Amino acid sequence: LLCSALLIGVVSSCKKDDASNPVQPTLYDSLGGTAKVADPVNPSVMIEKGRLGIRSVVDSTIFVIAGDSRINGKFSVLLAEVGSGDLSGFMDLSKELTDFFCVATGAKNFTYTGLDMMAAHDPTRNPRMNGRSSNADFDAFIEDLVAGANQNQVQANLIASIGRLVEGLRTQVVQ
């Protein structure tokens, strides 16, 4: 899977070769890492700070996309569900994207079990997608992701690192 390849690339660049070359932090570590904090959605649950940060950006980005007429039509199933008060599709998408980004940024405590990027963005294999994505759609998604990250005060250098990771998915998403 592409996610595994991204994870291998992130982790392999951080391997410890010897005692004089310490392990470098992963992007996940830079996004908050494994320190536990109370989950604002469910304060009785502790969540890794990195996962909370990623989930916050994912959720903000989903809302930005919902208001973006350039690409929100790709998510008509999700928008119809949310409009009728059914948040189950939103919750599933949030969890899958959060898992994906946690693994892709180097988190060790999570697994991505969703569709590979090609299947996820192919409406013949994923009935929740309304049409194939173009390069313009992908560019709009990246802009919306940056907006979601900015809403959560993610540092510019980390946004750039996430952007490079996402750009590596373009050939999988644009079909």
Side-chain angles (χ1 to χ4, degrees):
L1 292 175
L2 181 59
C3 183
S4 298
L6 288 171
L7 177 59
I8 290 167
V10 170
V11 172
S12 66
S13 68
C14 301
K15 285 185 180 174
K16 182 178 178 181
D17 293 330
D18 59 50
S20 64
N21 187 13
V23 174
Q24 297 297 312
T26 65
L27 180 53
Y28 184 78
D29 293 330
S30 298
L31 292 166
T34 59
K36 297 284 188 165
V37 295
D39 185 345
V41 174
N42 187 354
S44 64
V45 173
M46 298 300 283
I47 185 172
E48 288 188 4
K49 189 174 179 183
R51 182 175 182 81
L52 175 59
I54 289 171
R55 187 186 73 197
S56 297
V57 170
V58 163
D59 290 352
S60 294
T61 300
I62 292 170
F63 285 112
V64 172
I65 290 169
D68 185 347
S69 62
R70 297 174 298 172
I71 60 173
N72 62 10
K74 304 289 184 198
F75 303 95
S76 59
V77 173
L78 177 66
L79 295 175
E81 289 170 350
V82 171
S84 69
D86 178 3
L87 298 180
S88 61
F90 171 84
M91 298 301 290
D92 289 345
L93 179 60
S94 174
K95 181 192 178 309
E96 289 296 328
L97 284 174
T98 299
D99 287 346
F100 177 84
F101 280 109
C102 284
V103 172
T105 58
K108 294 173 181 50
N109 298 328
F110 304 101
T111 303
Y112 174 69
T113 58
L115 298 171
D116 65 68
M117 291 297 103
M118 288 188 80
H121 294 89
D122 181 349
T124 65
R125 295 163 56 190
N126 180 4
R128 298 186 64 78
M129 284 300 297
N130 184 27
R132 294 186 183 272
S133 296
S134 67
N135 277 307
D137 297 331
F138 195 82
D139 292 342
F141 171 77
I142 289 176
E143 289 175 29
D144 292 350
L145 178 61
V146 169
N150 282 328
Q151 287 177 7
N152 289 277
Q153 292 84 41
V154 176
Q155 297 172 9
N157 65 318
L158 297 177
I159 293 173
S161 294
I162 294 166
R164 284 188 295 276
L165 187 147
V166 171
E167 184 60 41
L169 301 171
R170 184 180 292 269
T171 59
Q172 310 301 307
V173 173
V174 176
Q175 301 174 24

